[in-house]
Amino acid sequence: MPEEEITAMEVIAALKSMADKSRFAKMFFYVEACESGSIFDNLLPDNLNIFVMTAADPHESSYACFYDETLQTYLGDVFSVKWMQDSETEDLRQESVNHQFQKVRTETNTSHVEEYGDIDIGNTKMNEVIGYKETPLDRYTLKYDDAVPAHHVPVAILGQRIKQAKDKTEKTKLRRILHTVMEGRRMIEQTFSKLLRSVLPFTENQQFFTEINKRPALTEQNVNCFDKIVNKIIKECFSISQNPFAASHLHKIINLCNMVPESKLVEKVLHICSGKSRIQGVV
């Protein structure tokens, strides 16, 4: 989020609380975000009458598209463009949530669209989810050729602005901003690298680094350790909400939690980051 982080378990706890208090009959939850599947995979029960569709699986980026040179930003996300286009071109009184999921999953060729929760309520018609207005159906397909991983968007936008800039002074200024962004990303990568190298002796690093880069899943067993270490990184090292690039490295923390005692990880984070200047918002 813009100013703070929300963990998967906070989301799951909120959904469980709402279900327990009968705050909804059925909930359909669309999530457009990198690694969005990690919020629900192995964590969301399938008996809450909640159907979730995510832009990506737990280990990959979602993709932005349709860069606008006037606004100097990307106007859409491939996943969201696909489900909104489907909603505008199908008869929502006939189309089910399951049908839309299958269609959007097939047409989104940049990431793996996933479903979680109570799959059985996917037979609900779309007009019950987002409503229906009697209008002529206009069959169309939006085409894009500029999809970029969402984590790369800030860098891609700066690249576009540098290319567009006519004034030499403006180009120089933008190149300096880009340099600052890339330097910040390098510092974030160094922080994770130092944490990994501090945990096991150098002689074990080769096997260790092979294991640490595997794509794991959050489970009830490791999620508490993961949350504690990530919160310690946020407090001592840098804000993840202001540096979302760091999220692409968080799977390493899950692996560390599966391999190393939590107390040792807390100690290492404090050693690496305490007393140093926090990395500012460098995206």
Side-chain angles (χ1 to χ4, degrees):
M1 310 303 285
E3 301 296 333
E4 61 183 344
E5 295 78 13
I6 297 178
T7 68
M9 293 312 296
E10 288 174 324
V11 174
I12 300 301
L15 295 177
K16 286 180 177 179
S17 175
M18 293 173 70
D20 290 343
K21 296 174 182 176
S22 300
R23 294 286 179 86
F24 57 85
K26 301 175 185 177
M27 179 185 290
F28 296 86
F29 199 168
Y30 293 78
V31 185
E32 174 196 303
C34 296
E35 295 93 27
S36 45
S38 65
I39 304 172
F40 309 99
D41 193 37
N42 294 323
L43 300 176
L44 179 67
D46 61 5
N47 60 351
L48 302 181
N49 282 344
I50 299 174
F51 183 102
V52 178
M53 197 185 308
T54 65
D57 71 21
H59 311 300
E60 64 185 354
S61 179
S62 60
Y63 279 69
C65 58
F66 293 118
Y67 181 79
D68 185 280
E69 292 188 356
T70 301
L71 297 176
Q72 297 184 333
T73 191
Y74 288 88
L75 302 181
D77 172 277
V78 175
F79 161 70
S80 294
V81 166
K82 291 300 181 182
W83 80 255
M84 287 188 285
Q85 176 182 303
D86 175 80
S87 299
E88 291 177 348
T89 57
E90 292 287 335
D91 184 343
L92 302 185
R93 297 167 299 179
Q94 303 300 321
E95 184 181 39
S96 68
V97 173
N98 277 331
H99 181 271
Q100 184 182 84
F101 165 73
Q102 293 297 339
K103 186 174 179 182
V104 172
R105 187 181 204 184
T106 299
E107 294 185 355
T108 303
N109 58 7
T110 51
S111 60
H112 296 86
V113 176
E114 300 291 347
E115 59 183 348
Y116 300 98
D118 188 348
I119 309 304
D120 291 338
I121 64 172
N123 59 10
T124 304
K125 300 303 182 186
M126 285 300 303
N127 67 311
E128 294 183 44
V129 181
I130 61 175
Y132 174 78
K133 184 178 180 180
E134 189 80 47
T135 56
L137 293 178
D138 180 17
R139 303 285 177 176
Y140 67 93
T141 300
L142 291 172
K143 296 182 179 180
Y144 56 87
D145 58 5
D146 60 352
V148 299
H151 288 314
H152 186 65
V153 164
V155 173
I157 289 176
L158 282 168
Q160 292 281 4
R161 292 179 63 189
I162 290 169
K163 186 168 69 173
Q164 289 176 244
K166 300 292 192 293
D167 182 72
K168 186 176 180 180
T169 302
E170 178 68 10
K171 276 186 183 289
T172 300
K173 177 183 175 182
L174 290 169
R175 285 185 176 126
R176 285 175 180 164
I177 295 173
L178 178 58
H179 174 78
T180 300
V181 169
M182 299 309 293
E183 183 66 14
R185 291 187 171 204
R186 186 182 66 81
M187 292 171 65
I188 287 172
E189 289 179 332
Q190 284 183 344
T191 299
F192 281 102
S193 179
K194 288 177 182 177
L195 176 60
L196 302 185
R197 291 181 182 280
S198 70
V199 171
L200 289 181
F202 180 80
T203 54
E204 299 180 44
N205 270 359
Q206 188 59 47
Q207 181 180 354
F208 176 61
F209 281 113
T210 299
E211 291 295 316
I212 212 67
N213 281 299
K214 288 183 177 179
R215 299 296 187 172
L218 279 176
T219 65
E220 292 184 1
Q221 287 70 41
N222 62 28
V223 69
N224 289 328
C225 168
F226 174 76
D227 284 353
K228 183 174 289 187
I229 302 306
V230 169
N231 284 330
K232 188 65 67 175
I233 289 173
I234 291 167
K235 181 179 179 181
E236 303 293 340
C237 307
F238 47 77
S239 164
I240 292 174
S241 65
Q242 294 176 19
N243 297 280
F245 168 73
S248 60
H249 291 275
L250 293 185
H251 64 280
K252 298 171 185 176
I253 303 301
I254 307 173
N255 281 326
L256 284 174
C257 285
N258 291 336
M259 300 166 66
V260 180
E262 179 184 300
S263 58
K264 184 173 183 179
L265 294 179
V266 170
E267 173 192 329
K268 295 302 181 182
V269 171
L270 288 171
H271 176 73
I272 291 168
C273 293
S274 292
K276 296 183 179 180
S277 298
R278 282 175 59 83
I279 300 173
Q280 300 305 310
V282 296
V283 297

